[in-house]
Amino acid sequence: MSEAVMGRCLCGSVRYQCEGELGPANYCHCEDCRKCTGSAFNVGVRVEARQFRIVKGSPRAFTKTGESGNSLTRHFCPDCGSPLYTTSPVHPDVLFVKAGCIDQPELVHPTHQTWMKSMVPWAAIPPGLTGFPKGRS
Ligand SMILES: [Zn+2]
Ligand SMILES: [Zn+2]
């Protein structure tokens, strides 16, 4: 049996565990994901609901009907606000964990991207953009 995948929010109030392999990850460029993450896109990792459990804390949830017409519930830490995962009543057997809150980021494998029609020009980092090993000093 493979080692459990662990994840947590920024403050550590909420922790979760995924048993078994993570599913494929996708980049979502939709406007709701941009608003929710505060970034150019979301990276969601597909996990079977039966593999997933909260081991610490109680996430809060916010439900909204997306542009697709499906309602999505976004679960986040009530203390620090970190987005953690998304569920949908249309697919109760799966959930999509935010890749950035997984403690073993090397296990995330993006396979596709969705909502390209809503993609912002700054979603892709141009090769050769000025970079610094740490913060800009
Ligand atoms: Zn937190
Ligand atoms: Zn999205």
Side-chain angles (χ1 to χ4, degrees), residues 8-14 76-82 84:
R8 62 186 153 83
C9 65
L10 181 63
C11 77
S13 286
V14 179
F76 57 94
C77 172
D79 294 330
C80 70
S82 303
L84 294 165

Side-chain angles (χ1 to χ4, degrees), residues 14 20-21 32 35 39 71 82 84 86 89 100-101 115 125 133 136:
V14 179
E21 301 270 304
D32 283 2
K35 294 290 183 197
S39 190
S71 104
S82 303
L84 294 165
T86 302
C101 63
W115 287 90
I125 301 175
R136 184 175 179 180

Side-chain angles (χ1 to χ4, degrees), residues 15-34:
R15 290 176 187 272
Y16 60 83
Q17 176 177 320
C18 305
E19 296 290 347
E21 301 270 304
L22 293 175
N26 83 291
Y27 297 93
C28 183
H29 297 283
C30 84
E31 186 179 3
D32 283 2
C33 280
R34 202 155 58 239

Side-chain angles (χ1 to χ4, degrees), residues 5-125:
V5 179
M6 304 300 295
R8 62 186 153 83
C9 65
L10 181 63
C11 77
S13 286
V14 179
R15 290 176 187 272
Y16 60 83
Q17 176 177 320
C18 305
E19 296 290 347
E21 301 270 304
L22 293 175
N26 83 291
Y27 297 93
C28 183
H29 297 283
C30 84
E31 186 179 3
D32 283 2
C33 280
R34 202 155 58 239
K35 294 290 183 197
C36 161
T37 61
S39 190
F41 48 77
N42 174 53
V43 185
V45 183
R46 188 188 159 106
V47 171
E48 301 289 324
R50 59 181 166 73
Q51 295 178 282
F52 180 89
R53 77 187 170 92
I54 300 290
V55 295
K56 182 174 179 244
S58 305
R60 272 194 64 191
F62 174 75
T63 301
K64 178 181 183 290
T65 301
E67 201 183 331
S68 67
N70 294 333
S71 104
L72 281 180
T73 302
R74 298 172 183 276
H75 303 259
F76 57 94
C77 172
D79 294 330
C80 70
S82 303
L84 294 165
Y85 61 98
T86 302
T87 55
S88 166
V90 182
H91 303 288
D93 49 326
V94 296
L95 48 82
F96 290 88
V97 175
K98 307 282 182 208
C101 63
I102 293 173
D103 289 342
Q104 299 105 304
E106 68 278 6
L107 300 177
V108 175
H109 298 294
T111 58
H112 59 287
Q113 49 186 332
T114 53
W115 287 90
M116 296 291 289
K117 75 188 249 318
S118 304
M119 182 179 178
V120 291
W122 38 277
I125 301 175

